[in-house]
Amino acid sequence: MTTLPNLNRPLELKKRAIVIGASSGIGAALAQKLAATGYVVALLARREEELTAVCDHINATYPGMAHPYVHNVTDFAAVLFNPVAQSKFVHTVSAGYVTGAMFVLSISAYYLLKGRNLQFAKRSLTVAASFGLASALSVVVLGDESGYTASENQQMKVAAIEAEWHTVPAPAAFTLFGLPSMEERETQAAIRIPWALGLIATRSLDEQVPGIHDLVEQNKQRIRNGIEAHAALAAVRADRTNPEKQQAFLARRDDLGFGLLTLKYVDDPAKADESVIDKAAWSTVPNVPVLFFSFRVMVALGFFFIALFAWAFFLASKRKLENPRFLRIALWSLPLPWIAAELGWIVAEYGRQPWAIDGVLPTFLGVSSTSSAQVTGSLIGFVALYTTLAVFDVFLMRRMVKTGPEGLKLWPLPDAQQAHETQASAKENGHV
């Protein structure tokens, strides 16, 4: 059971809300409260009878304010083994492992530089080196897999990341460095590696990587189709029993979201001329310079982590961990995994613009009717709260690190064992 949404209603006239799990309990009560305060509510739940009853109850008091949508997972295995979700999930988890391994590596390097907790630091650094190397390698491998799936499902995102303005003969070259310009829609001073992008994005020598200009042209046609879908939806709403009108809408519904992009420039997609369609099509291109540089810095840091952990693993295997140059680099590398992770999220979130739901819901239509003052107030509150937590977190971690295992009595060694390990350390470093 579905109810067609009122997409041709002027957006500013009604406040909208979606309530998930609205067939009973808190969800039903929330839907009732929202309808009472003037929201048009879309109610989502699995149980059709209960959901219909809730909607009927709300509409009896507030006519036309509640719309039921019955949704349920019919194939959990398809969700669990979704190839896109798998690669992204494991990639993110591996990045977390790298962050943890780098933290242990850096703190262990600090102790060795200070000449404290030597045996403890060497053991923890050795563990961090081996675990971190495996994690860093998996991040790169899984990142490659994530990029391959993106080339199939998010072609505009890939083209923007690579500043690939034009489709070139296969296999495409990888732009190692360049200066992309959104105004000129070109990349200046480009340094390219032949064939590399084609191999990475398509894993073949004969498949092309679509360029931004070609994808924009494709999107122009999808916007035209979406405008027709919007008009067809209005016709269905006026006559829900007409099968021809329903079929006309179903034939174009996959492009409806592209038609909605025109609402950023006109109040009705039917009023969109070719200039509006052109603007809407180019709005599907995310910020190319931001994606281009964020991706390259992130990848460079990924390969740096592999090199650093490999160096640490080599020194640990040779029992020569007290290398001042290595220890200083390891110490100052502490914040780099966090930076790499944030750059990854920039690539992910910037790269999917202008969509809240890819190809379905534009971001500018996904906003609520919350006032700017409320948004600013909540943002200030979150910033203040998490800044306070960050200050306490850094303070406590710094105090724990300075106190060390011996101060916390987490590394108690009898005098004889301590003397033995001190002597063993001296032999490793050639002092005995």
Side-chain angles (χ1 to χ4, degrees):
M1 176 198 66
T2 57
T3 300
L4 294 172
N6 191 5
L7 293 174
N8 65 351
R9 184 185 62 251
L11 296 172
E12 68 275 7
L13 296 183
K14 293 289 185 180
K15 299 181 287 185
R16 301 164 304 284
I18 298 175
V19 179
I20 300 173
S23 59
S24 62
I26 296 176
L30 177 61
Q32 175 87 16
K33 181 66 175 179
L34 289 169
T37 55
Y39 281 84
V40 175
V41 188
L43 283 70
L44 278 69
R46 294 182 293 111
R47 297 174 295 178
E48 183 173 351
E49 290 186 9
E50 291 86 343
L51 186 64
T52 302
V54 171
C55 283
D56 290 344
H57 177 72
I58 294 174
N59 287 327
T61 308
Y62 311 102
M65 301 300 280
H67 301 272
Y69 294 84
V70 177
H71 291 280
N72 197 3
V73 176
T74 58
D75 189 349
F76 183 74
V79 176
L80 188 62
F81 297 106
N82 181 338
V84 176
Q86 281 186 0
S87 62
K88 290 186 178 297
F89 173 76
V90 183
H91 178 67
T92 304
V93 171
S94 296
Y97 290 156
V98 170
T99 303
M102 184 64 75
F103 184 85
V104 175
L105 189 82
S106 299
I107 301 306
S108 301
Y110 169 79
Y111 286 137
L112 290 174
L113 285 169
K114 294 294 185 180
R116 296 172 51 195
N117 310 293
L118 296 180
Q119 294 306 310
F120 173 88
K122 288 178 181 179
R123 293 182 184 185
S124 59
L125 195 150
T126 300
V127 173
S130 55
F131 186 73
L133 179 58
S135 300
L137 288 169
S138 68
V139 166
V140 172
V141 172
L142 293 163
D144 173 70
E145 180 65 26
S146 180
Y148 177 67
T149 57
S151 70
E152 295 181 325
N153 303 300
Q154 293 178 292
Q155 292 183 333
M156 183 64 81
K157 176 181 177 180
V158 172
I161 288 173
E162 302 303 335
E164 193 78 2
W165 295 97
H166 303 280
T167 303
V168 298
F174 174 79
T175 305
L176 185 65
F177 178 80
L179 300 173
S181 169
M182 292 292 289
E183 292 75 23
E184 298 178 5
R185 295 172 180 171
E186 293 290 343
T187 301
Q188 306 297 328
I191 300 173
R192 294 187 170 92
I193 302 174
W195 294 22
L197 178 58
L199 293 172
I200 294 170
T202 68
R203 296 178 180 173
S204 71
L205 295 175
D206 56 0
E207 290 187 40
Q208 290 183 324
V209 178
I212 292 173
H213 282 275
D214 284 352
L215 292 171
V216 167
E217 289 302 315
Q218 293 176 22
N219 289 341
K220 287 181 182 179
Q221 185 56 49
R222 297 197 70 178
I223 290 169
R224 296 186 187 100
N225 293 341
I227 292 172
E228 294 179 6
H230 190 273
L233 180 60
V236 170
R237 188 177 299 110
D239 184 5
R240 294 176 182 270
T241 61
N242 189 318
E244 293 182 0
K245 293 180 179 180
Q246 292 178 4
Q247 192 61 37
F249 169 70
L250 293 175
R252 299 171 177 81
R253 67 176 179 179
D254 289 344
D255 293 329
L256 177 61
F258 284 84
L260 297 179
L261 290 169
T262 61
L263 290 173
K264 189 174 183 179
Y265 310 98
V266 294
D267 59 3
D268 185 346
K271 298 179 181 178
D273 56 18
E274 285 300 313
S275 65
V276 170
I277 292 174
D278 184 74
K279 290 179 183 178
W282 278 101
S283 75
T284 63
V285 182
N287 191 311
V288 176
V290 169
L291 289 176
F292 182 85
F293 289 111
S294 295
F295 178 78
R296 276 147 185 79
V297 173
M298 177 189 69
V299 171
L301 287 174
F303 282 106
F304 169 76
F305 298 149
I306 292 175
L308 182 61
F309 285 124
W311 190 8
F313 189 83
F314 172 78
L315 293 176
S317 64
K318 295 293 184 179
R319 299 182 181 275
K320 294 181 179 179
L321 285 173
E322 292 176 327
N323 181 311
R325 179 181 296 179
F326 161 75
L327 294 176
R328 283 193 292 270
I329 293 174
L331 176 61
W332 289 105
S333 298
L334 177 61
L336 295 184
W338 278 274
I339 295 173
E342 291 305 314
L343 290 172
W345 283 113
I346 289 174
V347 170
E349 297 305 315
Y350 248 110
R352 67 180 175 86
Q353 297 306 313
W355 301 107
I357 303 174
D358 189 52
V360 177
L361 178 66
T363 303
F364 70 89
L365 290 180
V367 299
S368 69
S369 57
T370 305
S371 69
S372 59
Q374 290 173 313
V375 173
T376 302
S378 63
L379 180 61
I380 291 173
F382 276 115
V383 170
L385 172 63
Y386 283 101
T387 300
T388 303
L389 291 175
V391 169
F392 276 104
D393 187 37
V394 171
F395 170 77
L396 292 173
M397 285 195 296
R398 183 172 180 272
R399 189 173 73 174
M400 292 298 103
V401 170
K402 291 187 69 175
T403 303
E406 77 281 15
L408 296 171
K409 297 181 180 180
L410 297 175
W411 190 253
L413 291 175
D415 293 341
Q417 186 178 354
Q418 181 69 62
H420 173 74
E421 296 208 358
T422 302
Q423 185 179 9
S425 178
K427 286 182 178 180
E428 289 178 14
N429 294 282
H431 299 314
V432 176

